[in-house]
Amino acid sequence: MNNKIEIKKLNLHYGKFHALKSVDMPVRKNSITALIGPSGCGKSTLLRCLNRMNDLIAGVRIDGQVLLDGIDIYSHSVEVPELRKRVGMVFQRPNPFPLSVYDNVAYGLKVAGMRDGSRISETVERSLKGAWLWENLKDRLDKPALELPLDQQQRLCIARLLAVEPEVILMDEPCSALDPIATMKVEELMLELRQRYTIAIVTHNMQQAARVSEYSGYMLLGEMVELGQTAAIFTNPSDARTQDYITGRYG
Amino acid sequence: MKFLGEKGVRRVLAGIAFSAISALLLIALFIIKEGLPFIISYGPVKFLLSSDWQPQAGKFGIWPMIVASVWVTLGAMLVGAPLGVACAVYLTEFVPRRVMGVIKPTIELLAGIPSVVYGFIGVMVLAPLIRSQLGGPGLSVLAGAIILGVMILPTIISISIDSIQSVPNSYREGSLALGATHWQTTHMVTVPAAKSGIIAAIILGMGRAIGETMAVIMVAGNAVKIPGSALDSVRTLTANIALEMGYATGQHRQALFATGVVLLIIIMILNSLAGMAIRKRAGKR
């Protein structure tokens, strides 16, 4: 089986609002899966179900299953912090901590209980290299992360994630705060990361979905309208609503 | 108000606002005018560092009162700061917003209790308890510290809550998404991010503690001597002024104003430290 994650009949309610309607979706291992659709269609909500970030919001009810390697992450035996170490997340706006570059990357390791200074340093270096930041920042590791340019901040957030060696990386519109050149860099980085990680990305930008993803899901009003290989969805959508969206007649 | 017009209203408001500020300035000027010449003529070193306070004999050394104020205030911080900060952290991070909406105003009510009531409880309950359990006269540094520690809680709690609440939620999310537990997130990210606001809260609480008079007069015992232990009676700077102002004349009276100048300077320093801490935080965003 090649699916890292399988979402089965997932329903989510915010109070009375039915935000996700019986969504089924696989996320293939070592590939990039994009979620596209107009604002408010539930794609970010769906993404945040995969590492249980929606648990933080009061009044959310979830039923259905999200299987990670065949195990339901919503079952009672799952430790949420452990789950989030395996399924990391990059947010829409870069959100490095108000700490130094080094401490940002080391944070996940310290949280996980690593105390060995030299191992931490090695991992920090490896993670920064993994996010293509090492050459830029190796002499400025004690600089406050909030003073970096936005695209470096976002790649720092990716580095911070790589340090805890997740299996899945969720990206919630990771480039929406970045300019086109910075966006390109992050996209190239994603294509490289795909070789070792399973990636799910939410994006508003359909060109981005077309450029980086192998699989796409088109969502509308909480439903998964169409799901398949990105090339197929973009050239030959089977649902009229998808057709409308990708040709720009909707949203 | 129409006949005044827009400009008229502005002038009236400016006049009222200015009268408030000028009251403050006048008080400060008056105290300095009455006290500063005495400090200079008596000698600042002798005034501040000599331990002899015998107004009848013309000896005015306020060192015991400075030591007393410092000990009582530090003691109050030892009681109030950990309690206050812990309470603020608990209320912001571990309690639903609804509950917090009930508890926070209740805590702020503490600030509305007159200080004489705190002093009364100190005299009736706390001092006898200290006397019977720990010895000494009961009216002591310890009693003063505990009473003041409780009195400054509302200041510390409500300013700390404001600063913890202003930490962007994205920091918490970023931490949780890396597999941190709620408590790890709180003490490794949220509280450090609110640190300067919490420090400002503690400094402002300290300013309140050092300036408090009535409760301290009632519970600290008022003996003019350098305390040998937390169970000894002491007289703080504020208590000294309040106790003797009624009958002081001439040089004695000037010496009390000079004590006021010392207090004013200490509190100004504390307030500007708090201001610096708050500005530093504002500059970070």
Side-chain angles (χ1 to χ4, degrees):
Chain A
M1 187 146 91
N2 233 349
N3 293 339
K4 184 72 183 169
I5 294 178
E6 266 187 273
I7 303 168
K8 288 185 174 169
K9 296 214 174 352
L10 190 73
N11 282 285
L12 183 144
H13 296 258
Y14 286 120
K16 282 181 183 161
F17 178 61
H18 197 174
L20 295 176
K21 296 169 187 163
S22 194
V23 171
D24 289 292
M25 187 181 88
V27 178
R28 298 277 183 123
K29 202 168 189 169
N30 293 66
S31 67
I32 300 180
T33 303
L35 291 168
I36 55 174
S39 301
C41 69
K43 53 195 193 300
S44 285
T45 304
L46 179 60
L47 194 74
R48 292 165 72 95
C49 285
L50 305 184
N51 66 342
R52 296 190 56 171
M53 285 307 271
N54 286 327
D55 291 14
L56 303 176
I57 301 165
V60 164
R61 268 184 305 121
I62 293 168
D63 58 77
Q65 283 186 316
V66 177
L67 305 178
L68 175 66
D69 289 334
I71 295 165
D72 186 7
I73 65 169
Y74 283 93
S75 78
H76 290 294
S77 57
V78 169
E79 299 261 0
V80 178
E82 290 307 313
L83 166 72
R84 291 184 183 140
K85 279 171 197 154
R86 295 176 62 193
V87 184
M89 186 166 221
V90 176
F91 295 85
Q92 192 166 352
R93 285 203 61 84
N95 61 346
F97 304 124
L99 303 170
S100 68
V101 170
Y102 184 93
D103 288 337
N104 261 281
V105 184
Y107 182 80
L109 303 172
K110 288 182 181 157
V111 157
M114 195 189 284
R115 291 286 171 268
D116 179 349
S118 60
R119 264 183 72 201
I120 293 180
S121 298
E122 277 167 30
T123 313
V124 168
E125 179 175 342
R126 180 154 36 83
S127 309
L128 285 170
K129 280 179 177 159
W132 302 343
L133 279 170
W134 180 250
E135 287 306 315
N136 285 328
L137 297 179
K138 65 183 173 193
D139 303 321
R140 294 180 287 167
L141 294 177
D142 48 3
K143 198 177 161 179
L146 296 179
E147 287 174 13
L148 299 177
L150 269 186
D151 68 306
Q152 291 190 7
Q153 286 189 21
Q154 192 63 304
R155 278 185 286 142
L156 182 65
C157 291
I158 295 173
R160 177 171 87 174
L161 203 57
L162 299 184
V164 296
E165 289 169 3
E167 297 157 34
V168 181
I169 299 178
L170 310 174
M171 296 181 158
D172 189 357
E173 300 190 35
C175 301
S176 64
L178 306 182
D179 66 40
I181 292 172
T183 299
M184 208 173 71
K185 269 191 241 163
V186 172
E187 286 180 6
E188 283 172 24
L189 179 58
M190 283 161 62
L191 289 172
E192 189 181 289
L193 292 176
R194 175 186 61 181
Q195 295 161 16
R196 285 189 295 139
Y197 303 92
T198 302
I199 299 177
I201 173 176
V202 160
T203 178
H204 253 109
N205 179 334
M206 277 184 296
Q207 283 79 31
Q208 182 169 60
R211 283 192 299 262
V212 299
S213 71
E214 288 127 303
Y215 299 92
S216 294
Y218 171 61
M219 292 183 73
L220 189 62
L221 301 172
E223 281 178 67
M224 186 62 73
V225 172
E226 187 164 353
L227 192 66
Q229 296 212 323
T230 302
I233 285 198
F234 276 81
T235 52
N236 188 18
S238 57
D239 194 294
R241 292 171 293 178
T242 317
Q243 171 98 37
D244 285 351
Y245 184 70
I246 60 167
T247 54
R249 259 175 279 168
Y250 184 104
Chain B
M1 288 300 251
K2 200 173 178 187
F3 62 96
L4 277 171
E6 199 68 28
K7 274 186 181 163
V9 171
R10 250 180 80 171
R11 285 205 189 105
V12 170
L13 286 177
I16 295 168
F18 186 73
S19 68
I21 296 166
S22 53
L24 182 73
L25 274 178
L26 282 174
I27 291 171
L29 276 179
F30 183 71
I31 293 173
I32 290 169
K33 180 187 138 285
E34 294 287 316
L36 203 57
F38 173 82
I39 296 180
I40 292 163
S41 69
Y42 191 76
V45 176
K46 210 167 130 204
F47 177 63
L48 293 173
L49 298 181
S50 135
S51 305
D52 253 349
W53 177 264
Q54 291 170 354
Q56 286 77 12
K59 289 182 177 165
F60 303 101
I62 60 168
W63 182 241
M65 278 76 103
I66 294 178
V67 173
S69 278
V70 167
W71 280 122
V72 171
T73 305
L74 285 182
M77 301 325 293
L78 235 50
V79 175
L83 266 179
V85 174
C87 187
V89 167
Y90 176 69
L91 288 177
T92 40
E93 299 297 308
F94 293 90
V95 154
R97 278 280 149 107
R98 263 178 315 113
V99 180
M100 158 97 139
V102 179
I103 295 180
K104 197 184 174 205
T106 315
I107 288 168
E108 281 162 358
L109 261 186
L110 269 181
I113 297 176
S115 60
V116 69
V117 174
Y118 282 101
F120 186 64
I121 291 169
V123 171
M124 300 309 286
V125 181
L126 192 60
L129 199 69
I130 291 173
R131 188 164 50 231
S132 64
Q133 299 299 315
L134 300 171
L139 300 172
S140 57
V141 174
L142 182 63
I146 293 173
I147 291 291
L148 284 182
V150 174
M151 285 182 74
I152 60 176
L153 280 179
T155 309
I156 295 182
I157 293 173
S158 64
I159 299 174
S160 297
I161 284 179
D162 292 343
S163 81
I164 296 171
Q165 277 183 335
S166 73
V167 172
N169 219 16
S170 63
Y171 291 173
R172 296 185 184 89
E173 283 193 331
S175 169
L176 291 170
L178 286 169
T181 62
H182 194 93
W183 169 239
Q184 285 174 328
T185 302
T186 302
H187 83 97
M188 291 171 77
V189 174
T190 314
V191 171
K195 192 174 64 188
S196 48
I198 292 173
I199 290 171
I202 292 173
I203 296 173
L204 289 174
M206 206 160 148
R208 276 208 61 192
I210 215 165
E212 174 52 40
T213 310
M214 181 48 84
V216 165
I217 289 180
M218 292 171 78
V219 302
N222 304 319
V224 184
K225 62 172 194 214
I226 293 175
S229 82
L231 299 174
D232 283 353
S233 282
V234 290
R235 178 187 291 190
T236 62
L237 290 165
T238 50
N240 192 42
I241 301 174
L243 289 168
E244 298 191 358
M245 204 41 134
Y247 59 87
T249 53
Q251 232 193 352
H252 185 193
R253 185 167 168 277
Q254 290 177 338
L256 294 181
F257 273 109
T259 311
V261 173
V262 173
L263 263 175
L264 197 68
I265 291 170
I266 293 173
I267 288 175
M268 266 164 37
I269 290 172
L270 286 180
N271 274 347
S272 44
L273 283 179
M276 269 157 60
I278 289 169
R279 268 194 300 281
K280 194 182 138 214
R281 164 151 149 263
K284 261 198 314 205
R285 302 271 149 74

